[in-house]
Amino acid sequence: MARQKGIIKLKGTIGDITFYKTQDGHLAREKGGIDASRIASDPAFQRTRENGSEFGRAGKAGKLLRTALRPLLLNSADSRMVSRLTQAMVKVIQADTVSDRGLRNVIDGETELLFGFEFNIRGKLGTSLYAPYVGAIDRVSGEITVDLASFVPANMLAAPSGTTHFKIISAGAEVDFEAETYVVATSETAILPWDATATAAINQTNAVTPASTKPLFLALGIEFYQEINGQMYPLKNGAFNPLAIVKVDSGV
């Protein structure tokens, strides 16, 4: 892979060189690689097929989790979140100590490895929210909760420049990675002023299926706003809104 220089940037293929544009700039690479039919059948590529199978499974699992959390992700994700989540899912699958290589899966892996995953590296929850919170998953009742004691926003929220208001958002998700289905519930506060006045205590409950045996997730985030002439506008189109997985229960 080479970076294109000069005034005129090329797109397409000339001979064995392909020119293309990415978020890293205009690049060029030489056409090559091994024929797909050989990779699919040659015993020498058994490990490659196994890796590919598990990577595909990770991508599908990541997409399902993203879809479940889509109401929150619409305003809280960076441009490389998809690939980062897929990599995290690969680690979950690789933690499967029961299945044979190539057949390892999320259910027999360690979904707890997703704890702390940040959906927006431009605005991380860990460096935005300093108010203490308590997340809990009650599998019997199906209640996925987060509680924040009263706090002073100006002191406990590291807000981007231009912020005047914010809201706390959360989601509880029950994800069936085998059936590719999910149940999700979301909560949000009213839009609150980012100032030196203490908030009321915040208690959010997101109810999913009681007594579920599927993996359960709690996501917590913040949305920042700017007030202009009495109207609330998402700050910088949500570019710095944090959202992270703060609790995981892998199921039984």
Side-chain angles (χ1 to χ4, degrees), residues 23 72-81 84 118-128 158-161 222 224 235-243:
Q23 60 186 10
L72 275 61
L73 285 175
L74 287 172
N75 298 315
S76 307
D78 65 78
S79 61
R80 293 184 174 176
M81 180 272 291
R84 292 192 300 106
E118 297 274 3
F119 289 95
N120 189 0
I121 58 175
R122 296 172 300 184
K124 296 181 179 180
L125 185 68
T127 55
S128 300
S161 175
I222 309 168
F224 295 110
L235 188 68
K236 298 181 180 177
N237 293 319
F240 300 102
N241 289 343
L243 180 71

Short mmCIF file of all heavy atoms in Angstrom, two decimals, residues 23 72-81 84 118-128 158-161 222 224 235-243:
data_model
loop_
_atom_site.label_atom_id
_atom_site.label_comp_id
_atom_site.label_asym_id
_atom_site.label_seq_id
_atom_site.Cartn_x
_atom_site.Cartn_y
_atom_site.Cartn_z
N GLN A 23 -10.32 6.98 4.46
CA GLN A 23 -10.30 8.08 5.42
C GLN A 23 -8.87 8.47 5.78
O GLN A 23 -8.64 9.50 6.41
CB GLN A 23 -11.07 7.70 6.68
CG GLN A 23 -10.52 6.49 7.40
CD GLN A 23 -11.44 6.08 8.56
OE1 GLN A 23 -12.54 6.58 8.70
NE2 GLN A 23 -10.96 5.19 9.39
N LEU A 72 -28.96 4.55 20.52
CA LEU A 72 -27.95 5.35 21.20
C LEU A 72 -26.76 5.64 20.29
O LEU A 72 -26.14 6.69 20.37
CB LEU A 72 -27.45 4.65 22.46
CG LEU A 72 -28.29 4.85 23.74
CD1 LEU A 72 -29.70 4.32 23.55
CD2 LEU A 72 -27.63 4.16 24.92
N LEU A 73 -26.46 4.70 19.40
CA LEU A 73 -25.28 4.83 18.54
C LEU A 73 -25.45 5.87 17.44
O LEU A 73 -24.45 6.34 16.88
CB LEU A 73 -24.95 3.48 17.89
CG LEU A 73 -24.30 2.44 18.80
CD1 LEU A 73 -24.13 1.12 18.05
CD2 LEU A 73 -22.93 2.94 19.28
N LEU A 74 -26.68 6.23 17.12
CA LEU A 74 -26.90 7.21 16.06
C LEU A 74 -26.14 8.50 16.30
O LEU A 74 -25.72 9.17 15.37
CB LEU A 74 -28.41 7.49 15.93
CG LEU A 74 -29.25 6.38 15.30
CD1 LEU A 74 -30.72 6.72 15.40
CD2 LEU A 74 -28.85 6.18 13.84
N ASN A 75 -25.95 8.84 17.58
CA ASN A 75 -25.25 10.09 17.91
C ASN A 75 -23.98 9.86 18.70
O ASN A 75 -23.42 10.80 19.25
CB ASN A 75 -26.19 11.00 18.72
CG ASN A 75 -27.43 11.40 17.96
OD1 ASN A 75 -27.35 11.76 16.79
ND2 ASN A 75 -28.58 11.31 18.60
N SER A 76 -23.49 8.60 18.75
CA SER A 76 -22.37 8.31 19.66
C SER A 76 -21.45 7.23 19.11
O SER A 76 -21.21 6.22 19.78
CB SER A 76 -22.91 7.88 21.03
OG SER A 76 -23.82 8.79 21.57
N ALA A 77 -20.92 7.41 17.92
CA ALA A 77 -20.01 6.41 17.37
C ALA A 77 -18.97 7.08 16.48
O ALA A 77 -19.28 8.03 15.76
CB ALA A 77 -20.79 5.37 16.56
N ASP A 78 -17.73 6.58 16.53
CA ASP A 78 -16.70 7.10 15.65
C ASP A 78 -16.65 6.31 14.35
O ASP A 78 -17.29 5.26 14.22
CB ASP A 78 -15.33 7.09 16.35
CG ASP A 78 -14.85 5.68 16.63
OD1 ASP A 78 -14.36 5.01 15.70
OD2 ASP A 78 -14.94 5.23 17.80
N SER A 79 -15.90 6.80 13.38
CA SER A 79 -15.90 6.21 12.04
C SER A 79 -15.29 4.82 11.98
O SER A 79 -15.52 4.08 11.03
CB SER A 79 -15.16 7.14 11.07
OG SER A 79 -13.81 7.32 11.48
N ARG A 80 -14.51 4.44 13.00
CA ARG A 80 -13.88 3.12 13.00
C ARG A 80 -14.47 2.19 14.05
O ARG A 80 -13.90 1.16 14.39
CB ARG A 80 -12.37 3.27 13.19
CG ARG A 80 -11.70 3.95 12.01
CD ARG A 80 -10.20 4.01 12.15
NE ARG A 80 -9.57 4.53 10.94
CZ ARG A 80 -8.28 4.77 10.81
NH1 ARG A 80 -7.47 4.57 11.83
NH2 ARG A 80 -7.80 5.23 9.67
N MET A 81 -15.62 2.58 14.58
CA MET A 81 -16.24 1.78 15.63
C MET A 81 -16.55 0.37 15.17
O MET A 81 -16.37 -0.60 15.91
CB MET A 81 -17.50 2.49 16.12
CG MET A 81 -18.25 1.73 17.23
SD MET A 81 -19.46 0.55 16.59
CE MET A 81 -20.67 1.66 15.89
N ARG A 84 -13.45 -1.74 15.18
CA ARG A 84 -12.97 -1.95 16.54
C ARG A 84 -13.84 -2.95 17.29
O ARG A 84 -13.35 -3.80 18.04
CB ARG A 84 -12.92 -0.62 17.30
CG ARG A 84 -11.87 0.35 16.79
CD ARG A 84 -11.66 1.53 17.72
NE ARG A 84 -12.86 2.33 17.92
CZ ARG A 84 -13.60 2.31 19.02
NH1 ARG A 84 -13.28 1.52 20.03
NH2 ARG A 84 -14.68 3.07 19.12
N GLU A 118 -15.57 1.26 24.34
CA GLU A 118 -15.98 2.63 24.03
C GLU A 118 -16.40 2.71 22.57
O GLU A 118 -15.63 2.38 21.67
CB GLU A 118 -14.82 3.60 24.28
CG GLU A 118 -14.34 3.67 25.73
CD GLU A 118 -15.15 4.67 26.55
OE1 GLU A 118 -16.12 5.25 26.01
OE2 GLU A 118 -14.82 4.86 27.73
N PHE A 119 -17.62 3.16 22.34
CA PHE A 119 -18.12 3.26 20.97
C PHE A 119 -17.63 4.51 20.26
O PHE A 119 -17.75 4.61 19.05
CB PHE A 119 -19.65 3.23 20.98
CG PHE A 119 -20.22 1.89 21.33
CD1 PHE A 119 -20.59 1.60 22.63
CD2 PHE A 119 -20.38 0.91 20.36
CE1 PHE A 119 -21.12 0.35 22.97
CE2 PHE A 119 -20.90 -0.33 20.68
CZ PHE A 119 -21.27 -0.61 21.99
N ASN A 120 -17.10 5.46 20.99
CA ASN A 120 -16.63 6.71 20.38
C ASN A 120 -15.27 7.08 20.96
O ASN A 120 -15.19 7.61 22.07
CB ASN A 120 -17.64 7.83 20.62
CG ASN A 120 -17.31 9.08 19.83
OD1 ASN A 120 -16.33 9.12 19.08
ND2 ASN A 120 -18.12 10.11 19.97
N ILE A 121 -14.20 6.81 20.22
CA ILE A 121 -12.87 7.11 20.74
C ILE A 121 -12.58 8.61 20.74
O ILE A 121 -11.61 9.06 21.34
CB ILE A 121 -11.77 6.37 19.93
CG1 ILE A 121 -11.84 6.74 18.44
CG2 ILE A 121 -11.90 4.88 20.12
CD1 ILE A 121 -10.72 6.13 17.62
N ARG A 122 -13.43 9.41 20.06
CA ARG A 122 -13.25 10.87 20.08
C ARG A 122 -13.80 11.48 21.36
O ARG A 122 -13.46 12.62 21.71
CB ARG A 122 -13.94 11.49 18.86
CG ARG A 122 -13.33 11.08 17.53
CD ARG A 122 -14.17 11.56 16.37
NE ARG A 122 -15.53 11.01 16.43
CZ ARG A 122 -16.45 11.21 15.49
NH1 ARG A 122 -16.16 11.97 14.44
NH2 ARG A 122 -17.65 10.68 15.59
N GLY A 123 -14.66 10.74 22.04
CA GLY A 123 -15.23 11.21 23.30
C GLY A 123 -15.53 10.01 24.17
O GLY A 123 -16.61 9.42 24.07
N LYS A 124 -14.60 9.62 25.00
CA LYS A 124 -14.77 8.41 25.79
C LYS A 124 -15.53 8.69 27.08
O LYS A 124 -15.35 9.73 27.71
CB LYS A 124 -13.40 7.82 26.12
CG LYS A 124 -12.61 7.35 24.91
CD LYS A 124 -11.28 6.74 25.33
CE LYS A 124 -10.50 6.25 24.12
NZ LYS A 124 -9.20 5.66 24.52
N LEU A 125 -16.36 7.74 27.48
CA LEU A 125 -17.09 7.89 28.73
C LEU A 125 -16.12 7.99 29.90
O LEU A 125 -16.34 8.77 30.83
CB LEU A 125 -18.04 6.71 28.93
CG LEU A 125 -18.96 6.80 30.16
CD1 LEU A 125 -19.98 7.92 29.96
CD2 LEU A 125 -19.67 5.48 30.41
N GLY A 126 -15.04 7.21 29.84
CA GLY A 126 -14.08 7.19 30.94
C GLY A 126 -13.37 8.50 31.17
O GLY A 126 -12.83 8.73 32.26
N THR A 127 -13.35 9.36 30.16
CA THR A 127 -12.71 10.67 30.33
C THR A 127 -13.70 11.82 30.20
O THR A 127 -13.31 12.97 30.05
CB THR A 127 -11.59 10.85 29.29
OG1 THR A 127 -12.11 10.66 27.97
CG2 THR A 127 -10.45 9.86 29.53
N SER A 128 -15.00 11.49 30.26
CA SER A 128 -16.05 12.50 30.18
C SER A 128 -16.91 12.56 31.43
O SER A 128 -17.28 13.64 31.88
CB SER A 128 -16.96 12.24 28.97
OG SER A 128 -16.24 12.27 27.76
N ALA A 158 -16.68 16.37 31.87
CA ALA A 158 -15.71 17.04 31.00
C ALA A 158 -16.38 17.23 29.64
O ALA A 158 -16.35 16.34 28.79
CB ALA A 158 -14.44 16.21 30.88
N ALA A 159 -16.99 18.38 29.46
CA ALA A 159 -17.79 18.63 28.26
C ALA A 159 -16.96 19.34 27.19
O ALA A 159 -16.07 20.14 27.50
CB ALA A 159 -19.00 19.48 28.62
N PRO A 160 -17.27 19.08 25.92
CA PRO A 160 -16.58 19.78 24.83
C PRO A 160 -16.88 21.28 24.85
O PRO A 160 -17.91 21.72 25.37
CB PRO A 160 -17.16 19.13 23.57
CG PRO A 160 -17.78 17.86 24.02
CD PRO A 160 -18.23 18.09 25.42
N SER A 161 -15.99 22.06 24.27
CA SER A 161 -16.18 23.51 24.19
C SER A 161 -17.49 23.84 23.49
O SER A 161 -17.82 23.25 22.45
CB SER A 161 -15.01 24.14 23.42
OG SER A 161 -15.22 25.52 23.25
N ILE A 222 -23.53 9.91 27.24
CA ILE A 222 -23.89 11.31 27.43
C ILE A 222 -24.09 11.94 26.06
O ILE A 222 -23.34 11.65 25.12
CB ILE A 222 -22.79 12.09 28.17
CG1 ILE A 222 -22.35 11.38 29.44
CG2 ILE A 222 -23.25 13.52 28.49
CD1 ILE A 222 -21.08 11.97 30.05
N PHE A 224 -24.30 15.80 24.40
CA PHE A 224 -24.04 17.21 24.70
C PHE A 224 -24.82 18.11 23.74
O PHE A 224 -24.96 17.80 22.55
CB PHE A 224 -22.55 17.51 24.58
CG PHE A 224 -21.70 16.78 25.59
CD1 PHE A 224 -20.85 15.76 25.20
CD2 PHE A 224 -21.76 17.11 26.94
CE1 PHE A 224 -20.08 15.08 26.13
CE2 PHE A 224 -20.99 16.45 27.87
CZ PHE A 224 -20.15 15.43 27.47
N LEU A 235 -24.44 19.17 20.04
CA LEU A 235 -23.15 19.83 19.89
C LEU A 235 -22.28 19.13 18.85
O LEU A 235 -22.02 17.93 18.95
CB LEU A 235 -22.43 19.87 21.23
CG LEU A 235 -21.15 20.71 21.26
CD1 LEU A 235 -21.47 22.19 21.11
CD2 LEU A 235 -20.38 20.47 22.54
N LYS A 236 -21.86 19.87 17.84
CA LYS A 236 -20.99 19.34 16.78
C LYS A 236 -21.53 18.03 16.22
O LYS A 236 -20.77 17.10 15.96
CB LYS A 236 -19.57 19.17 17.31
CG LYS A 236 -18.94 20.48 17.75
CD LYS A 236 -17.52 20.30 18.25
CE LYS A 236 -16.92 21.64 18.70
NZ LYS A 236 -15.57 21.49 19.26
N ASN A 237 -22.86 17.97 16.08
CA ASN A 237 -23.53 16.79 15.52
C ASN A 237 -23.20 15.51 16.28
O ASN A 237 -23.17 14.42 15.70
CB ASN A 237 -23.18 16.62 14.04
CG ASN A 237 -23.75 17.74 13.19
OD1 ASN A 237 -24.88 18.17 13.41
ND2 ASN A 237 -22.98 18.24 12.26
N GLY A 238 -22.93 15.63 17.56
CA GLY A 238 -22.69 14.45 18.39
C GLY A 238 -21.31 13.86 18.25
O GLY A 238 -21.07 12.73 18.70
N ALA A 239 -20.36 14.59 17.66
CA ALA A 239 -19.03 14.04 17.40
C ALA A 239 -18.32 13.59 18.66
O ALA A 239 -17.49 12.67 18.63
CB ALA A 239 -18.18 15.06 16.66
N PHE A 240 -18.61 14.23 19.81
CA PHE A 240 -17.89 13.91 21.03
C PHE A 240 -18.78 13.28 22.10
O PHE A 240 -18.42 13.25 23.28
CB PHE A 240 -17.22 15.18 21.58
CG PHE A 240 -16.23 15.77 20.62
CD1 PHE A 240 -16.55 16.89 19.86
CD2 PHE A 240 -14.99 15.19 20.43
CE1 PHE A 240 -15.64 17.42 18.96
CE2 PHE A 240 -14.08 15.71 19.53
CZ PHE A 240 -14.40 16.83 18.79
N ASN A 241 -19.93 12.77 21.70
CA ASN A 241 -20.81 12.09 22.66
C ASN A 241 -20.22 10.73 23.04
O ASN A 241 -20.00 9.89 22.17
CB ASN A 241 -22.20 11.87 22.06
CG ASN A 241 -22.98 13.15 21.91
OD1 ASN A 241 -22.65 14.17 22.50
ND2 ASN A 241 -24.03 13.10 21.11
N PRO A 242 -19.99 10.49 24.33
CA PRO A 242 -19.45 9.18 24.73
C PRO A 242 -20.55 8.14 24.94
O PRO A 242 -21.68 8.48 25.28
CB PRO A 242 -18.74 9.50 26.06
CG PRO A 242 -19.53 10.64 26.62
CD PRO A 242 -20.01 11.45 25.44
N LEU A 243 -20.20 6.89 24.69
CA LEU A 243 -21.08 5.76 24.96
C LEU A 243 -20.20 4.54 25.18
O LEU A 243 -19.30 4.28 24.39
CB LEU A 243 -22.05 5.50 23.81
CG LEU A 243 -23.01 4.33 24.00
CD1 LEU A 243 -24.06 4.66 25.06
CD2 LEU A 243 -23.70 3.96 22.68
#
